[in-house]
């Protein structure tokens, strides 16, 4: 199964699952959530992705692309 980009207008469940993963990662990395899972891809989600990408030497696009999802 191919992994698609998760971005604005993606499936709500995909966004929610991504947000859950970013939420858990943020608890371990900095002790505070950068995003609250709600299934809506807004600025909070985009900024959490950028922060994750920056910390993992991935191009900061704000989109959960293949490379980002593989690291998550």
């Amino acid at each position: 199964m191919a992994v698609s980009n998760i971005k604005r207008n993606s499936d709500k469940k995909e966004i929610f699952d991504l947000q859950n993963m970013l939420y858990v990662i943020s608890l371990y990395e900095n002790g505070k959530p950068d995003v609250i899972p709600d299934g809506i891809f807004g600025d909070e989600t985009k900024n959490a992705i950028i922060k994750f990408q920056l910390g993992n030497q991935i191009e900061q696009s704000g989109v959960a692309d293949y490379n980002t999802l593989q690291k998550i």
Side-chain angles (χ1 to χ4, degrees):
M1 181 168 102
V3 177
S4 63
N5 294 345
I6 300 175
K7 56 190 176 205
R8 292 189 197 272
N9 302 319
S10 289
D11 178 74
K12 188 171 181 153
K13 171 134 177 42
E14 284 183 336
I15 295 169
F16 186 81
D17 291 344
L18 170 66
Q19 290 170 329
N20 270 324
M21 290 184 280
L22 290 169
Y23 176 84
V24 170
I25 290 167
S26 70
L27 293 176
Y28 287 98
E29 289 186 354
N30 61 20
K32 65 181 177 78
D34 294 315
V35 64
I36 303 299
D38 61 6
I40 299 168
F41 195 116
D43 290 338
E44 186 178 78
T45 301
K46 180 179 179 180
N47 291 336
I49 292 169
I50 290 171
K51 184 175 180 181
F52 178 84
Q53 290 169 329
L54 182 62
N56 287 278
Q57 294 78 46
I58 303 169
E59 181 182 350
Q60 292 92 56
S61 65
V63 172
D65 58 14
Y66 179 81
N67 290 332
T68 303
L69 293 171
Q70 291 296 85
K71 288 275 187 176
I72 289 174

